[in-house]
């Protein structure tokens, strides 16, 4: 009897096909659930396009305020929105963040790229837009403004003029709350106040990259001046209010989890064109002494928490100080006994910039990291970045995604984030990447 390897090859192909179909089915189910929730009847729809959670938070508060007036209102992510939902809605409030230099947030990318590129008759629709942004960028509130203009061009009628919010400006938010309160028929709702800052102190400050060609990067361990450590989840952010610029807090990815007994940050010392240190990074890295009070509060970052991905395989991708957010995610999974983890990380030189080397190598040696792939761009004759690692491991990447992996990206918006997104689109396809975003299996915290 003659034996061949054909059955084995067919079996492998069928297994991969089955995995891919399971992936598609899972993503389709998630999309169906989200769209079904968005299309459920309600007097008002409050749509949020959020990247770090601010727009989501404000949408929830807006829906609650409408409900106090007896209106049926529901907050929904813009990723669930399609023409059918828009045609079926009559009153929609949009809360739209802008990402990078005027870009739509990840959750809004399919909407901006497809729906806004097409025409639609929205003459029946009444709407208002709250645009979140940062006036230091050239294309301030770019996505919110583009969304407002598109809706008007489709014939929709404004309930009131768009409100632009510069870095959480309280006066602009109060104006939005006033308008929404009038729509709800109530004027006595309490102000939406952010949590108060707490006093923290620096327990430890360690330079991680001595001799680096890049800016100094420090690992900071912070402790409350009084009281116990507050709760947070891996993926959350710390807002620091520097004494020289208290009205404009800076956000940092938290690098630790509460069970470690301290809040850790990885902070790169920034310098302005005149050579002076950045308001927050200079204070944290150089200015603050161990007995100085650091004004800090924690902000939930729902879009970068593990959530339903807690038990999935995890592909963590990042560079530089972005290792902070990825480190917290990996630590949380390791503490939960989950070892299906793959880290791809990039920096300048292995000799000076292999951040947290002992810890990461220890996790790999112990099996908590199934894979640890590194790109040091200044080592060797040819520059090599984290996106090049992805292309080199395209087959492995596709295999991980086919068996349910989630992808988390943390680090610099310029260069890394765009390069990684392009590589993922090449390997997986734009439609699959959009579907992974909708299913919350592709998440980014980039800056």
């Amino acid at each position: 009897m003659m034996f061949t390897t054909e059955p084995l090859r067919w079996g492998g192909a069928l297994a991969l096909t089955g995995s891919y179909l399971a992936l598609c089915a899972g993503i389709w189910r998630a999309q169906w659930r989200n769209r079904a929730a968005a299309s459920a009847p309600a007097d008002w729809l409050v749509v949020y396009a959020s990247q770090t959670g601010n727009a989501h938070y404000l949408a929830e508060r807006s829906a609650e305020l409408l409900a106090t007036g007896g209106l049926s209102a529901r907050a929904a992510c813009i990723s669930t929105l399609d023409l059918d939902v828009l045609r079926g809605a009559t009153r929609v409030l949009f809360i739209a963040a802008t990402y990078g230099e005027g870009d739509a947030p990840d959750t809004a990318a399919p909407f901006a790229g497809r729906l806004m590129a097409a025409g639609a008759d929205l003459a029946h629709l009444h709407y208002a837009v709250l645009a979140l942004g940062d006036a230091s960028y050239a294309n301030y509130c770019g996505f919110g403004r583009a969304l407002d203009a598109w809706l008007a061009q489709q014939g929709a009628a404004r309930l009131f003029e768009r409100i632009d919010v510069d870095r959480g400006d309280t006066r602009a938010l109060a104006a939005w709350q006033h308008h929404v309160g009038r729509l709800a028929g109530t004027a006595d709702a309490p102000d939406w106040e952010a949590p108060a800052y707490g006093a923290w102190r620096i327990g430890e400050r360690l330079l991680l990259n001595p001799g680096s060609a890049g800016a100094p990067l420090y690992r900071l361990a912070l402790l409350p001046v009084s009281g116990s450590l507050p709760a947070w989840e891996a993926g959350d952010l710390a807002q620091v209010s520097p004494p020289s610029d208290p009205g404009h807090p800076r956000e940092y990815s938290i690098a630790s989890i509460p069970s470690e007994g301290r809040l850790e940050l990885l902070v790169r010392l920034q310098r302005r064109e005149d050579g002076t240190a950045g308001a927050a990074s200079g204070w944290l890295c150089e200015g603050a002494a161990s007995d100085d009070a650091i004004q800090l509060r924690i902000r939930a970052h729902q879009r970068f928490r593990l959530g339903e991905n807690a038990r999935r395989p995890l592909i963590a991708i990042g560079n530089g100080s972005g290792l902070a957010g990825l480190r917290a995610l990996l630590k949380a999974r390791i503490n939960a006994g989950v070892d299906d983890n793959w880290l791809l990380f990039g920096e300048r030189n292995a000799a000076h910039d292999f951040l947290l080397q002992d810890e990461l190598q220890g996790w790999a040696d112990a099996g908590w990291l199934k894979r640890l792939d590194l790109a040091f761009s200044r080592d060797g004759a040819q520059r090599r970045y984290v996106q090049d690692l992805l292309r080199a491991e395209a087959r492995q990447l596709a295999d991980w995604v086919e068996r349910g992996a989630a992808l988390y990206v943390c680090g610099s918006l310029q260069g890394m984030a765009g390069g990684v997104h392009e590589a993922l689109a090449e390997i997986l396809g734009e439609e699959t990447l959009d579907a992974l975003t909708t299913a919350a299996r592709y998440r980014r915290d980039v800056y």
Side-chain angles (χ1 to χ4, degrees):
M1 181 181 293
M2 180 167 46
F3 294 91
T4 76
T5 60
E6 283 302 310
L8 295 177
R9 286 204 294 268
W10 277 106
L14 288 171
L16 284 175
T17 301
S19 298
Y20 178 74
L21 291 175
L23 164 69
C24 294
I27 291 173
W28 180 86
R29 284 194 297 270
Q31 291 175 317
W32 183 87
R33 286 195 301 267
N34 289 337
R35 287 191 170 86
S39 59
D43 295 330
W44 290 84
L45 194 60
V46 185
V47 174
Y48 57 89
S50 190
Q51 187 69 34
T52 64
N54 281 330
H56 187 180
Y57 171 83
L58 292 170
E60 295 284 358
R61 301 293 79 74
S62 298
E64 290 170 2
L65 180 52
L66 290 169
T68 63
L71 302 175
S72 172
R74 184 184 63 259
C77 181
I78 197 170
S79 64
T80 67
L81 219 57
D82 57 23
L83 275 179
D84 289 338
V85 174
L86 281 177
R87 290 190 184 110
T90 56
R91 292 174 290 273
V92 183
L93 301 181
F94 291 90
I95 303 178
T98 290
Y99 200 38
E101 291 290 352
D103 297 328
D106 290 343
T107 55
F111 181 93
R114 295 175 188 169
L115 202 58
M116 289 176 63
D121 181 5
L122 300 179
H124 67 285
L125 186 67
H126 292 76
Y127 78 97
V129 174
L130 180 69
L132 310 182
D134 183 338
S136 66
Y137 286 85
N139 199 356
Y140 170 52
C141 288
F143 177 62
R145 293 180 175 186
L147 175 62
D148 180 38
W150 179 79
L151 290 163
Q153 289 167 4
Q154 311 315 306
R158 292 186 181 93
L159 292 160
F160 51 86
E161 290 299 311
R162 185 190 70 247
I163 295 176
D164 295 342
V165 183
D166 179 19
R167 292 185 286 185
D169 177 59
T170 55
R171 290 169 298 179
L173 291 175
W176 172 265
Q177 184 179 3
H178 170 73
H179 281 293
V180 177
R182 290 187 63 183
L183 295 172
T186 180
D188 57 357
D191 290 339
W192 299 335
E193 293 184 359
Y197 288 96
W200 296 65
R201 63 178 179 84
I202 296 177
E204 184 179 1
R205 181 164 50 201
L206 176 66
L207 178 63
L208 292 181
N209 61 342
S212 173
L217 192 149
Y218 290 84
R219 184 176 189 173
L220 299 167
L222 300 169
L223 299 166
V225 170
S226 61
S228 58
L229 204 66
W232 72 85
E233 290 188 29
D236 286 349
L237 304 169
Q239 288 186 330
V240 175
S241 177
S244 63
D245 191 12
H248 294 105
R250 283 27 170 210
E251 291 190 332
Y252 299 94
S253 300
I254 299 175
S256 59
I257 57 177
S259 63
E260 295 179 277
R262 58 192 198 172
L263 187 150
E264 292 192 359
L265 306 176
L266 302 185
V267 180
R268 194 179 295 277
L269 178 60
Q270 304 291 338
R271 294 201 178 275
R272 306 182 182 96
E273 292 184 2
D274 63 2
T276 60
S281 66
W283 171 241
L284 291 171
C285 296
E286 294 181 336
S290 59
D291 57 350
D292 283 326
I294 307 294
Q295 296 300 310
L296 180 148
R297 65 187 179 198
I298 293 170
R299 188 166 72 77
H301 188 353
Q302 298 289 349
R303 283 289 306 172
F304 207 66
R305 288 179 169 181
L306 288 168
E308 295 181 355
N309 298 322
R311 310 298 299 188
R312 291 181 180 276
L314 176 71
I315 303 173
I317 307 164
N319 72 333
S321 60
L323 185 58
L326 301 179
R327 191 261 175 198
L329 296 173
L330 292 168
K331 181 63 175 175
R333 287 167 62 86
I334 289 169
N335 277 21
V338 181
D339 63 1
D340 213 355
N341 305 306
W342 179 5
L343 173 63
L344 303 101
F345 177 70
E347 251 290 356
R348 284 180 172 83
N349 301 105
H352 305 289
D353 302 297
F354 193 164
L355 309 177
L356 311 183
Q357 179 178 359
D358 291 344
E359 182 174 53
L360 296 180
Q361 196 61 61
W363 287 350
D365 293 343
W368 293 113
L369 287 177
K370 296 294 187 186
R371 297 197 56 159
L372 174 60
D373 289 276
L374 305 165
F376 294 103
S377 60
R378 307 299 172 88
D379 290 348
Q382 193 168 20
R383 296 286 175 92
R384 183 173 171 82
Y385 300 98
V386 68
Q387 55 264 37
D388 298 315
L389 296 177
L390 292 171
R391 291 187 174 94
E393 300 296 337
R395 182 62 261 174
Q396 285 294 318
L397 177 73
D399 287 346
W400 275 58
V401 171
E402 284 170 3
R403 64 184 182 87
L407 300 101
Y408 282 67
V409 182
C410 194
S412 58
L413 176 64
Q414 300 297 327
M416 187 279 295
V420 165
H421 186 86
E422 290 176 5
L424 292 174
E426 289 174 16
I427 296 166
L428 303 173
E430 287 282 3
E431 289 190 5
T432 297
L433 206 53
D434 287 347
L436 290 170
T437 300
T438 301
R441 284 175 51 193
Y442 176 38
R443 305 189 181 197
R444 303 197 304 171
D445 177 15
V446 296
Y447 39 85

